Amino acid sequence: MLKYAFSNPFVSSALKPDRVPSWRSFPPKLVKLTLSGTSLPWEDMVELSMLPKLEVLKLRNYAFSGSVWKCREGGFPRLKFLLIGSTNLEIWEADGTHFPNLQHLVLRHCRFLKEIPYGISEAPLLEKIELHCCKDSAVISARHLHEEQQSLGNDGLKIHITEESSPNRQLSRGKADHMATYAAVVTLMQDLEQRLISNAKLFGPFSQNELESLYSAVSLVDSFLRETYNHGIMNKTLEKRIRDVAEKAGNIVDFWNVKIFRRTLRLTGLPEIPVLGVKRKHSFSSGEYLANSTFSSPRRRTPITEVKLVGLEKDLVTMLHNLTGHSLQLRVFPVIGMAGIGKTTFSKKLYDNPLIVHHFYVRAWVTVSQQYQVREMLLSILRCVTNISNEIYEKSDEELREQVYRSLRGKKYLVVLDDMWDTKAWDDLKRTFPDDKNGSRVMLTSRLRDVAVHACQDTTPHCMRCLSVHESWELLSSKIFVDETCPLELVTIGQQIACKCQGLPLAIVVVGGLLSKMDRRLDVWEEVAQSVSSLVLGEADHCQNILALSYNHLPDHLKVCFLYMGIFLEDYEISVKKLIWLWVAEGFIRPSMIKGLEEMAEGYLEDLTARSLILVKRKSSDGRIRTCYIHDLMRELCLHECQREKILHVINSGGQVPQNYLHNLRRISFHSSHDLMRELCLNECQREKILHVINSGGQVPQNYLHNLRRIPFHSSFLKHIIGTSLPYTRSVFCFEKLSFSDPWKDLHMDLKLLKVLDIMNIHLMNIPMGIQYLNLLKFLALTIQNSFHMNFICQFRCLQTLILDCDWNGHLTRKFWDMLELRHFHLKRSCLSYSQELAQQELPFSVLNNLQSLSAIRPVSCTRKVFLSMPNLKKLGIHQTEEDYRFRGWFEQLVHLQELETLKYAFSNPFASSALKPDHVPSWRSFPPKLVKLTLSGTSLPWEDMVELSMLPKLEVLKLRNYAFSGSVWKCREGGFPRLKFLLIGSTNLEIWEADGTHFPNLQHLVLRHCRFLKEIPYGISEAPLLEKIELHCCKDSAVMSARHLQEEQQSLGNDGLTVHITEG
C-alpha cells in the first residue's frame, strides 16, 4: 500500500512532480495506491494502468489535472475499486474492457465531469457507482445508465447519489466571508482584463507578459475559490489572506506596480501561484461556465409576472365602495398592517382598478417612507396630475404647496400616500388637499395605527389580515408554478411550507421565489420546510429570518449584486439601465464568451426579481424592467447582511466613529436615524471595512474617509470630500439634489483611484477641479451648467459609461475614438451649434467594438465611416436642428449599423420650414436590419410615408411623439407592421385614422397622448387579435367616447381581456 500526497495542487510544476514514472518503478506487489494534490496529466494514467496487482486506486484533490481522460485498452487488469475526487476532468472516455474487474466506482466533487462514460456499465463485475456532489449532467447520466441496466435485467448494479447540500443550508460566517472574497477577486480580474485589452501605453513600466502572468494566477485563485467553496472546505484564515491580498493588489495594480504586489504576496505568507498553462484565449472560461449553468439561452428573458392578490377579494370590494361612495366630502381612508402583509400591493390594485381610473379625474401616488422630504412628496403629486417643466424645481416648498393645491382644486382626485411613518408627514401635506365637495379621496398606508387615526378620526382604518393556510398555499403555488399544476407528491409538503410562513404574503412570495429556482423534488422541499421551521420556532422576527433564507441560497455573484442595493435610499426608484451599468463598472459581472456584460447583468437582475428579492416598479414598452426597488424589509435584510459580509455600513445620527476605524474601508453611505440599524452597525463597526452608510447626524473625524472604497452620500456631506485626499476610494455617489447656491458646487477632489463618480444631482457651474486626474474612471455622471470641450472628457481612456447633462454641440471629435473601453455615451440636454470648421474635420477612426449605446449626436456625425467604426452599437439617439439642413442623405447611412436595435430621432422644431427638415421617410431598406424599437419626434412627416415603417420586418415598438407625423388623415395599408406590439401616437393634428385588426396582427398595446383632433378610435382596431390595452391621455372627448363604446362592445362579445385606460385633461 502506498499513499503519496502533495500539499498544494496549484503550486508551480517546477516545485512538484510533473510526470508519473514508469510502472516498472513501482513496488512489484503494490495493491493499494492513493495520490493527492499531485496535478499529474491524465495521459500518464497509462503507467498506473499497467501495474499488475493494483486493486484499489484513490485519486484525491487534483491528483490528476486536465479536461480529458482517454482510457487505453489492456490496462487495470485487477483493479476493483476506483475513486476520483476533486478534479477538473470534463470528459472521460472509457468502457467495460478498460476495467475488466472493476466492482466499485466512486466520484466525489467531480463538478466539471459532464457525464459517466456509458460504456463503464459494461464492466462485467461492476456492482456499485457512487456520486457525491457532482455536476447535474453527470448525475442524470448515472441515473439513465442505471435505468437502462435495469431494463436489460441487470438489477445487480446500484447507484448511490449524494447531491450538494449547500444550496439548502443557511449561510455560515465562513460563507459570508466567501462572498466578500469573491467580490475582491472578481473585481481584480476585471481590472486586470481591462488593462490587458487596452492600449499598450496603459501597461506603464511593466510588460504585457507580466500582467498576463498575474491575470492567469488570479484566475486560478478564482477557480480555486469556487472549487473549495463548493466543497465547503475553505480555511477561514487562508480565505481572509486571499481577500486581503486581492484588495491590496487592486490598489497596487491601479498604481501600476506589479512587483510590489508580488512582494505583498510573499509578506502575507500566501504562496505565489504560477500560471500552470493557463492561456489568455481561455480567460473567459469561468464566466462561460457560470453563464451556461445559470441561463439556458443568451436571448431568454424571465417573464415579469404581476403580483397575485389572494384572499382579499371582499376587502377590495369594500374599499372600492368606500372610495367611490356617495359622500361628496373629502375623506381619508387608511390601510394599516404589519410589514410585509401587502398594504402597498392592496393599494396598488385599487389605484389601478378600472373603476377607480374611470371615477377619478386625476390620481397621484406618493411614496412617503420613514425619512420623508416634503418637497419630494409635493413634486410626486405634481408629476402625476400635471405636466411639469424644469422651472418647477426652482420653486420653494411653499410655492410647491400652492401649485399642488391649484392643480387639484375643482377636480375629483385620488391621492395615495404609501408607507407613512409619522403624523408630522400628514400635517405637512393635509392643507394641500382642497375639499371641493366633489367626492375626492385620500388613501394612506402605514404600519402604525396612531398615524392612521391621526390622519382620519372619523374613519375606521382598514386592517390587513394574515392569509389563511388555504390562501397561503394558493399564493405560494401561484408563485412557483405560474400556469402549471403542482405535482401531487409536493402538495402536502408545499402546504406545510406555506403554513410555516404564518400568513405573511411577503414571506410566502419570497419563499416561493426560492422554491421556483430549486428542483421540484420531495427531499429538496422537505429541507426547505425544515429550514423555515427552524427559523420560525422561538423567533419573534420570523419574517426577517424567512427572507434571509432566500438570500442565503443565492450564489455569490447574485449576493454581491443584491447587497449593492444598500447604496440607494429607502424606497428609491432605481433605473435598471443605470444599475446594470454600475454593476459592470464595479466589476461584479463575470464575462462570458456567448453574452455581453450587460446581458449577463440583465440575467442577474431577472434572477433576483424572480426570487422577489428585487421588485419591479415600472416596465418599458417592450416588457423589460425599466425601474426597480426593494421592499423595506428586504432593505433591512440587505443592510444587515452588508454588516455581516463586510459590504456596507450604517452609522446613524450621533454615531461616533473611532479615529482608527478607517483602514481599507470600501463603502460609506449617509442615512438617517434608525435605531435597529444603528445598533447593528455599532456592534459590527470595528471589523467591517467595505461600504459605510452615514446619516446626517454622524460625527466623522477628519481622517475618517482616507481609505474608504465606496461612498454614497445621502445628505449634505460633500464637505467631507472637498480638498480631502481619498487615495483608496473607488466609488462616490450623491443622491441629494444640490442647487447652484451650494457652496461646494465646484468640488476639489483628490481621488486618484476613483472608478465610479455619480454626482448627477449636483448642479455644477463647471467641471470640478481635479477631475482631469481621475484616469481610472469607468463610470462618470455629471450635470454641468456651462459648456465645455468634448476633448476634456475623451481623456478618460478607461471610461465605460458616460452620462452628461450639459450643453453640447452633438459633434463627435477625433478624440472620441480614443475611448476604446466606452460602452455607453449619453447626453441629456440640448445640442449647441458647431462651427463649419469643426464639421469638416477629418476623423482618424479606431473601431469602438465595446460601444453599445450613443445619444444624442447630430447628422454631421452620421456618416458611413462613423457607423462602421461602431459595429456593435445597439442604441442610437440623433438630434437634428434647422442648422443641419445642409447634411442630407445621412439617414441612408444607418443601414451600416448592423446590430442596431433601438433608434431615437428627434427634430427640434416640428413647425420649421419643410426646406430645413426631412420631408419624407426613406425606404425601409435604409433602416438597420435588426431594428426593434423606433422613436420619432418633431419630424412632421406625411402620414402616407408610414407605409415604409410598416415594412420594417422586426419592428416591435413604435413611438411617434410631438408631431412626428403631420396631416389630418392616416389610412393604414394591408400587409404592414408584421411584428409591432406597441404603438404610441402623441401630440398630433391627426383627425381621421382608418385601420382595422389586419393592419396590426401582433399589436398588444396602443397609447394615444394629446391627440386633441382625433375624432375617434378606429372601430376595427379592436379586431387586432392580440390587443390587450388601449390608453388615452388628454384626447378629444369624441375619441374618449369611442374608446369606451369599443370596450363595452368587446365586453358584450365576451372579450374581457381588453382594458381601456383614460386620463382626461
Side-chain angles (χ1 to χ4, degrees):
M1 180 171 62
L2 172 63
K3 292 184 179 181
Y4 171 45
F6 194 85
S7 59
N8 186 352
F10 305 110
V11 78
S12 168
S13 58
L15 303 177
K16 62 182 179 63
D18 57 351
R19 301 301 301 268
V20 175
S22 167
W23 65 273
R24 294 183 177 87
S25 302
F26 287 83
K29 295 183 179 181
L30 188 64
V31 175
K32 299 176 68 174
L33 174 62
T34 301
L35 300 176
S36 176
T38 47
S39 293
L40 296 161
W42 284 106
E43 294 81 3
D44 285 11
M45 278 291 288
V46 66
E47 297 295 340
L48 300 187
S49 72
M50 301 295 290
L51 293 172
K53 295 189 177 183
L54 187 66
E55 296 183 4
V56 176
L57 177 60
K58 298 180 181 180
L59 308 175
R60 302 181 184 276
N61 191 26
Y62 284 84
F64 283 76
S65 181
S67 60
V68 181
W69 175 22
K70 295 182 180 180
C71 293
R72 300 186 183 182
E73 294 183 5
F76 298 112
R78 299 179 67 172
L79 191 69
K80 298 179 181 179
F81 180 93
L82 173 61
L83 179 146
I84 305 174
S86 299
T87 177
N88 56 357
L89 179 65
E90 298 179 23
I91 300 173
W92 179 17
E93 297 181 6
D95 59 45
T97 63
H98 300 133
F99 301 95
N101 284 289
L102 187 65
Q103 300 175 15
H104 194 170
L105 170 64
V106 180
L107 303 176
R108 293 184 183 274
H109 303 290
C110 297
R111 300 185 181 279
F112 302 96
L113 184 63
K114 296 177 180 178
E115 61 180 3
I116 306 297
Y118 175 79
I120 204 73
S121 62
E122 299 171 1
L125 302 180
L126 188 61
E127 298 175 352
K128 189 174 183 180
I129 298 177
E130 294 183 39
L131 286 85
H132 303 278
C133 304
C134 293
K135 193 178 179 73
D136 288 344
S137 58
V139 170
I140 293 172
S141 70
R143 286 178 173 148
H144 288 167
L145 186 151
H146 187 220
E147 291 168 2
E148 183 158 337
Q149 289 298 306
Q150 286 180 326
S151 68
L152 296 174
N154 179 12
D155 297 325
L157 177 60
K158 297 180 180 179
I159 303 286
H160 176 72
I161 296 172
T162 303
E163 299 193 34
E164 181 182 9
S165 60
S166 61
N168 302 317
R169 63 174 181 259
Q170 290 204 52
L171 191 67
S172 65
R173 172 68 65 182
K175 299 296 184 186
D177 292 339
H178 187 276
M179 195 285 304
T181 307
Y182 160 88
V185 172
V186 170
T187 302
L188 176 58
M189 288 176 62
Q190 295 284 319
D191 291 342
L192 287 170
E193 187 163 304
Q194 183 178 7
R195 303 293 180 272
L196 288 167
I197 63 178
S198 298
N199 190 290
K201 294 178 181 179
L202 294 180
F203 294 152
F206 309 108
S207 69
Q208 181 172 356
N209 288 337
E210 286 179 294
L211 289 182
E212 284 184 348
S213 175
L214 178 58
Y215 178 86
S216 297
V218 176
S219 300
L220 194 59
V221 169
D222 177 56
S223 299
F224 172 71
L225 277 175
R226 287 190 288 113
E227 184 69 13
T228 53
Y229 171 72
N230 290 333
H231 295 174
I233 58 174
M234 170 58 79
N235 178 277
K236 291 181 182 180
T237 303
L238 175 60
E239 184 168 24
K240 184 180 184 302
R241 286 160 65 185
I242 291 176
R243 174 184 168 187
D244 290 343
V245 169
E247 290 177 355
K248 291 176 183 177
N251 294 338
I252 296 169
V253 166
D254 287 337
F255 283 124
W256 316 116
N257 201 335
V258 179
K259 293 182 179 179
I260 295 179
F261 167 61
R262 291 183 173 176
R263 188 180 307 128
T264 304
L265 288 175
R266 292 195 297 271
L267 290 174
T268 56
L270 185 65
E272 186 174 348
I273 303 176
V275 176
L276 290 182
V278 180
K279 298 182 179 179
R280 283 283 303 153
K281 66 180 181 179
H282 298 308
S283 62
F284 294 107
S285 59
S286 61
E288 184 177 8
Y289 166 77
L290 177 63
N292 292 337
S293 64
T294 308
F295 309 106
S296 60
S297 167
R299 297 298 300 171
R300 180 179 72 84
R301 293 217 307 269
T302 304
I304 302 169
T305 56
E306 298 292 335
V307 177
K308 184 176 181 180
L309 203 63
V310 172
L312 298 175
E313 292 78 8
K314 291 182 180 180
D315 301 75
L316 278 174
V317 172
T318 300
M319 190 60 72
L320 280 172
H321 176 74
N322 291 337
L323 294 174
T324 60
H326 296 296
S327 175
L328 296 179
Q329 286 187 324
L330 172 65
R331 299 190 66 185
V332 180
F333 291 96
V335 177
I336 62 173
M338 65 184 295
I341 203 167
K343 301 182 296 295
T344 300
T345 302
F346 178 74
S347 301
K348 195 71 170 67
K349 287 290 183 183
L350 286 166
Y351 184 81
D352 291 332
N353 187 280
L355 178 60
I356 295 294
V357 173
H358 176 73
H359 184 79
F360 292 99
Y361 190 77
V362 292
R363 297 171 302 136
W365 183 283
V366 181
T367 302
V368 182
S369 301
Q370 197 168 359
Q371 288 81 40
Y372 70 92
Q373 293 183 3
V374 175
R375 183 178 186 83
E376 283 303 313
M377 292 192 293
L378 296 171
L379 287 171
S380 294
I381 297 174
L382 288 173
R383 292 187 192 104
C384 293
V385 302
T386 187
N387 294 321
I388 63 175
S389 60
N390 290 331
E391 288 75 20
I392 197 73
Y393 297 102
E394 304 299 326
K395 294 189 176 184
S396 66
D397 290 359
E398 200 56 41
E399 290 173 325
L400 289 177
R401 279 194 178 91
E402 180 64 26
Q403 183 150 351
V404 170
Y405 186 87
R406 291 199 308 268
S407 298
L408 296 177
R409 187 160 190 179
K411 300 174 182 177
K412 186 191 293 185
Y413 61 83
L414 170 66
V415 176
V416 178
L417 305 174
D418 185 39
D419 195 23
M420 184 173 285
W421 285 76
D422 195 341
T423 57
K424 189 175 184 301
W426 170 252
D427 294 337
D428 287 335
L429 279 182
K430 64 181 180 180
R431 64 189 180 92
T432 64
F433 301 134
D435 185 3
D436 297 313
K437 306 297 189 294
N438 60 1
S440 293
R441 301 286 185 261
V442 174
M443 186 176 172
L444 66 85
T445 71
S446 179
R447 301 184 193 181
L448 308 174
R449 176 176 287 274
D450 291 347
V451 172
V453 172
H454 176 82
C456 184
Q457 298 178 358
D458 61 347
T459 302
T460 303
H462 180 84
C463 297
M464 299 290 292
R465 63 176 178 83
C466 292
L467 302 182
S468 67
V469 175
H470 174 75
E471 292 165 345
S472 297
W473 169 236
E474 182 183 350
L475 180 58
L476 181 67
S477 59
S478 69
K479 176 66 179 178
I480 301 169
F481 299 104
V482 191
D483 297 325
E484 304 174 63
T485 303
C486 176
L488 217 60
E489 65 271 17
L490 296 180
V491 171
T492 302
I493 188 65
Q495 291 172 341
Q496 292 176 17
I497 294 172
C499 180
K500 295 176 192 300
C501 292
Q502 300 189 6
L504 202 62
L506 179 62
I508 295 168
V509 169
V510 171
V511 171
L514 168 63
L515 288 171
S516 69
K517 295 293 180 180
M518 303 178 76
D519 290 339
R520 296 176 182 177
R521 298 203 322 270
L522 184 61
D523 60 325
V524 173
W525 282 38
E526 285 174 343
E527 287 191 32
V528 172
Q530 186 176 0
S531 298
V532 175
S533 296
S534 64
L535 292 172
V536 173
L537 293 176
E539 293 286 352
D541 194 5
H542 65 274
C543 180
Q544 193 69 266
N545 291 301
I546 292 173
L547 302 184
L549 175 66
S550 185
Y551 167 78
N552 291 340
H553 283 77
L554 289 176
D556 282 337
H557 66 280
L558 293 184
K559 279 194 179 80
V560 70
C561 291
F562 171 70
L563 295 185
Y564 196 74
M565 305 292 283
I567 283 176
F568 300 100
L569 289 163
E570 180 186 4
D571 292 318
Y572 190 84
E573 186 171 350
I574 305 162
S575 165
V576 163
K577 178 172 65 176
K578 188 172 182 179
L579 177 64
I580 284 175
W581 294 348
L582 285 168
W583 283 351
V584 171
E586 294 281 7
F588 295 157
I589 311 300
R590 288 183 183 273
S592 166
M593 291 294 289
I594 60 175
K595 292 184 182 182
L597 292 173
E598 286 79 7
E599 193 172 2
M600 290 286 291
E602 187 177 358
Y604 291 5
L605 179 70
E606 289 170 354
D607 203 341
L608 289 168
T609 56
R611 298 169 186 264
S612 297
L613 294 176
I614 293 178
L615 303 177
V616 177
K617 186 75 170 182
R618 303 177 195 271
K619 291 185 284 187
S620 62
S621 53
D622 61 355
R624 291 175 181 263
I625 308 172
R626 183 188 296 275
T627 61
C628 63
Y629 69 106
I630 56 175
H631 190 279
D632 290 350
L633 283 180
M634 296 308 303
R635 184 171 178 272
E636 289 185 16
L637 167 66
C638 180
L639 294 175
H640 179 264
E641 292 299 328
C642 284
Q643 299 286 340
R644 292 182 52 201
E645 303 195 11
K646 306 182 180 181
I647 294 293
L648 180 148
H649 266 278
V650 183
I651 300 177
N652 293 277
S653 56
Q656 300 292 323
V657 182
Q659 291 284 339
N660 63 349
Y661 180 47
L662 65 159
H663 185 63
N664 282 335
L665 298 175
R666 293 195 170 226
R667 305 173 179 90
I668 301 180
S669 182
F670 293 90
H671 285 190
S672 50
S673 179
H674 190 302
D675 292 341
L676 173 61
M677 287 295 103
R678 181 170 65 86
E679 181 180 351
L680 289 171
C681 178
L682 294 176
N683 288 339
E684 300 284 338
C685 66
Q686 292 299 323
R687 60 189 170 89
E688 313 301 353
K689 300 179 179 179
I690 298 187
L691 185 148
H692 286 247
V693 182
I694 302 179
N695 86 321
S696 55
Q699 300 297 317
V700 183
Q702 184 175 3
N703 67 343
Y704 174 69
L705 300 177
H706 182 265
N707 286 333
L708 302 179
R709 297 297 181 95
R710 292 179 176 87
I711 313 176
F713 291 95
H714 290 185
S715 53
S716 300
F717 270 75
L718 297 175
K719 61 184 179 181
H720 291 294
I721 62 172
I722 297 174
T724 303
S725 175
L726 303 171
Y728 300 112
T729 300
R730 297 304 201 278
S731 307
V732 170
F733 307 82
C734 181
F735 291 94
E736 184 183 18
K737 289 181 171 61
L738 300 176
S739 65
F740 294 112
S741 60
D742 190 274
W744 303 299
K745 61 180 180 294
D746 293 325
L747 300 177
H748 301 262
M749 297 176 290
D750 181 12
L751 301 159
K752 294 182 177 66
L753 299 187
L754 199 68
K755 295 181 180 179
V756 174
L757 178 61
D758 183 358
I759 51 175
M760 201 84 190
N761 289 324
I762 306 176
H763 287 211
L764 301 168
M765 189 66 67
N766 299 297
I767 292 184
M769 294 178 59
I771 198 174
Q772 64 265 33
Y773 302 113
L774 306 182
N775 296 320
L776 300 181
L777 275 177
K778 293 184 177 182
F779 182 102
L780 176 62
L782 294 173
T783 298
I784 307 295
Q785 180 68 11
N786 294 332
S787 61
F788 61 93
H789 200 281
M790 186 182 176
N791 284 349
F792 183 86
I793 294 296
C794 295
Q795 67 179 314
F796 300 114
R797 306 296 176 82
C798 297
L799 204 62
Q800 295 177 349
T801 298
L802 175 62
I803 306 173
L804 293 178
D805 188 350
C806 65
D807 291 323
W808 182 58
N809 60 29
H811 179 248
L812 300 176
T813 64
R814 59 193 301 169
K815 291 287 185 182
F816 178 79
W817 278 266
D818 291 339
M819 295 192 291
L820 298 179
E821 297 299 319
L822 192 64
R823 309 178 73 87
H824 308 283
F825 181 89
H826 285 260
L827 289 108
K828 292 189 171 185
R829 219 190 304 160
S830 63
C831 293
L832 299 174
S833 299
Y834 48 82
S835 65
Q836 184 66 26
E837 293 78 12
L838 185 63
Q840 294 174 349
Q841 271 191 35
E842 183 64 26
L843 302 178
F845 298 119
S846 301
V847 177
L848 301 178
N849 285 309
N850 292 314
L851 189 63
Q852 297 185 30
S853 59
L854 172 65
S855 69
I857 60 173
R858 297 279 284 276
V860 65
S861 295
C862 297
T863 67
R864 177 179 181 274
K865 192 173 183 181
V866 167
F867 289 156
L868 288 176
S869 72
M870 305 169 181
N872 297 309
L873 192 69
K874 294 183 177 180
K875 296 182 180 181
L876 174 64
I878 300 172
H879 181 84
Q880 186 174 4
T881 70
E882 296 154 83
E883 184 186 38
D884 297 308
Y885 72 92
R886 60 186 181 276
F887 297 105
R888 301 285 183 173
W890 61 267
F891 210 105
E892 286 74 9
Q893 305 305 321
L894 292 170
V895 73
H896 298 295
L897 296 172
Q898 295 291 304
E899 299 299 320
L900 194 73
E901 297 177 354
T902 301
L903 173 63
K904 294 183 179 181
Y905 167 44
F907 193 85
S908 59
N909 182 5
F911 307 109
S913 167
S914 57
L916 301 178
K917 61 184 179 66
D919 56 356
H920 71 282
V921 177
S923 167
W924 64 273
R925 295 182 177 86
S926 301
F927 287 81
K930 295 183 179 180
L931 191 66
V932 175
K933 298 176 68 174
L934 174 62
T935 301
L936 300 176
S937 176
T939 46
S940 294
L941 296 160
W943 284 106
E944 293 80 6
D945 284 9
M946 278 290 287
V947 66
E948 296 295 340
L949 300 186
S950 73
M951 300 296 288
L952 293 173
K954 296 188 176 182
L955 188 67
E956 296 183 6
V957 176
L958 177 60
K959 299 180 181 180
L960 309 174
R961 303 182 184 275
N962 191 27
Y963 285 85
F965 282 77
S966 182
S968 59
V969 180
W970 175 22
K971 295 182 180 180
C972 294
R973 300 185 183 182
E974 293 183 5
F977 298 112
R979 298 178 67 173
L980 191 69
K981 298 178 181 179
F982 180 94
L983 173 61
L984 179 146
I985 305 175
S987 299
T988 177
N989 56 357
L990 180 66
E991 298 179 23
I992 300 172
W993 179 16
E994 297 180 7
D996 59 45
T998 62
H999 300 135
F1000 302 96
N1002 285 289
L1003 187 66
Q1004 299 174 14
H1005 194 172
L1006 170 65
V1007 181
L1008 303 176
R1009 293 184 183 276
H1010 302 286
C1011 297
R1012 300 184 183 278
F1013 301 97
L1014 183 64
K1015 297 177 180 179
E1016 62 179 5
I1017 306 294
Y1019 176 79
I1021 202 75
S1022 63
E1023 299 171 1
L1026 302 180
L1027 187 62
E1028 298 174 354
K1029 189 173 185 179
I1030 299 176
E1031 294 183 41
L1032 286 84
H1033 304 277
C1034 305
C1035 293
K1036 193 179 180 72
D1037 289 343
S1038 59
V1040 171
M1041 291 297 294
S1042 70
R1044 285 179 172 151
H1045 288 160
L1046 186 151
Q1047 183 184 30
E1048 291 168 1
E1049 183 160 337
Q1050 289 298 306
Q1051 288 176 336
S1052 68
L1053 296 173
N1055 179 14
D1056 295 325
L1058 176 62
T1059 60
V1060 176
H1061 176 76
I1062 297 172
T1063 302
E1064 300 182 24

